[in-house]
């Protein structure tokens, strides 16, 4: 069975500080990993996916198959980054849909 | 603010009552999904449909039913068999195929039991 673990329910950092939201997964096949974000009073939306290898809003995430992790990082947090972040996993080539983690609420303090 | 429309925003259910949550999309997406969101548990998949007239159970389908008679509509019925229906329900859609995991979400329906 596939599982996604986000160990931190709440995370607070100061503006300008680096931020890392942790995500670990368990899956024996070839996973596809995502980060979804929900800003206050907005809908849940895709932030980035590992196969795109792109930086969105200054965030990056690297898939580490050895450590089965997909941590989300940003070198300098901004107040507008405050949101709920969900890590999600899907198996490549399968009809199986996304499995979400329990989410991390990030608060960036002024 | 188009894309995916969920209604109503708030819904109350009495004991023994079935209630139906509406989800409509105008994105021409093939696939649609229903998730349940509980505090501290993230999103859990209830049902999904990859094509019209076809749907599959997710992880927590017991006590729920769906239909997919039209491409743009995927209503969810919470039956009386669902003993703990109080939750926030999210509907999503995607293009399907290799893009199935780029999902677009509605604003949600909050269901409470009277």
């Amino acid at each position: 069975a596939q599982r996604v673990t986000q160990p931190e329910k709440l995370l607070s950092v100061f503006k300008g500080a680096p931020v890392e939201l942790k995500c670990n997964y368990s899956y024996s096949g070839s996973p596809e990993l995502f980060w979804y974000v929900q800003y206050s009073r907005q809908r849940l939306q895709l932030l980035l996916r590992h196969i795109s290898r792109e930086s969105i809003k200054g965030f990056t995430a690297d898939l580490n198959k050895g450590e089965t992790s997909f941590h989300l990082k940003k070198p300098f947090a901004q107040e507008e980054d405050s949101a709920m972040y969900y890590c999600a996993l899907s198996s490549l080539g399968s009809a199986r849909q996304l499995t979400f983690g329990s989410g991390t609420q990030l608060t960036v303090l002024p | 603010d188009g894309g995916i429309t969920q209604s109503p925003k708030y819904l109350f259910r009495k004991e023994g009552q079935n209630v139906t949550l509406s989800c409509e999309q105008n994105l021409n997406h093939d696939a649609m999904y229903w998730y349940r969101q509980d505090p501290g548990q993230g999103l859990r998949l209830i049902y999904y449909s990859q094509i019209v007239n076809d749907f599959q159970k997710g992880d927590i389908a017991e006590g729920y039913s769906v239909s997919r008679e039209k491409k743009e509509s995927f209503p969810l019925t919470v039956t009386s068999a669902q003993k703990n229906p109080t939750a926030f329900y999210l509907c999503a859609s995607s293009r399907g195929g290799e893009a199935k995991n780029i999902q677009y979400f509605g604003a949600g329906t909050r269901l409470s039991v009277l």
Side-chain angles (χ1 to χ4, degrees):
Chain A
Q2 53 196 57
R3 187 169 66 243
V4 177
T5 302
Q6 293 180 251
E8 303 139 329
K9 284 189 176 180
L10 303 170
L11 182 62
S12 295
V13 300
F14 285 102
K15 178 182 174 181
V19 61
E20 180 179 72
L21 290 84
K22 290 183 167 50
C23 173
N24 290 91
Y25 67 90
S26 64
Y27 182 66
S28 56
S30 296
E32 188 176 3
L33 275 296
F34 304 81
W35 278 97
Y36 276 79
V37 62
Q38 188 167 25
Y39 300 101
S40 178
R41 288 186 289 277
Q42 292 188 30
R43 301 179 182 202
L44 188 62
Q45 59 187 289
L46 177 67
L47 179 63
L48 56 80
R49 51 198 299 213
H50 90 270
I51 62 173
S52 299
R53 294 184 168 273
E54 57 192 346
S55 173
I56 304 294
K57 299 185 179 183
F59 283 98
T60 59
D62 292 318
L63 178 60
N64 186 324
K65 291 188 177 181
E67 295 182 359
T68 60
S69 68
F70 188 57
H71 303 328
L72 184 67
K73 302 177 184 179
K74 185 170 183 177
F76 307 103
Q78 302 300 314
E79 290 182 71
E80 55 266 29
D81 295 328
S82 295
M84 177 69 88
Y85 291 81
Y86 291 96
C87 183
L89 174 152
S90 178
S91 53
L92 288 172
S94 167
R96 171 63 189 165
Q97 311 308 310
L98 289 170
T99 297
F100 285 85
S102 56
T104 296
Q105 178 68 51
L106 174 66
T107 301
V108 180
L109 304 167
Chain B
D1 195 30
I4 305 204
T5 302
Q6 289 187 243
S7 62
K9 192 172 182 179
Y10 300 97
L11 187 58
F12 298 91
R13 193 191 90 166
K14 296 179 181 179
E15 289 287 338
Q17 184 183 40
N18 292 353
V19 292
T20 298
L21 285 63
S22 170
C23 179
E24 304 277 330
Q25 54 102 355
N26 62 4
L27 300 169
N28 199 33
H29 284 169
D30 288 317
M32 297 186 74
Y33 316 82
W34 274 106
Y35 294 93
R36 173 179 168 139
Q37 191 175 29
D38 295 282
Q41 295 196 48
L43 280 70
R44 292 183 290 168
L45 184 65
I46 304 173
Y47 269 98
Y48 64 100
S49 168
Q50 297 183 79
I51 198 167
V52 175
N53 292 323
D54 186 50
F55 49 84
Q56 286 80 39
K57 294 182 179 180
D59 296 320
I60 54 166
E62 186 174 349
Y64 300 97
S65 66
V66 294
S67 63
R68 186 86 187 278
E69 297 175 2
K70 298 186 295 182
K71 186 175 186 177
E72 57 270 22
S73 179
F74 192 41
L76 173 74
T77 296
V78 185
T79 74
S80 56
Q82 172 48 246
K83 298 307 179 188
N84 185 24
T86 297
F88 190 61
Y89 292 86
L90 282 171
C91 178
S93 72
S94 71
R95 288 209 311 268
E98 293 195 359
K100 71 180 190 301
N101 294 315
I102 303 176
Q103 296 186 12
Y104 296 81
F105 285 83
T109 293
R110 187 166 299 279
L111 176 62
S112 302
V113 176
L114 292 176

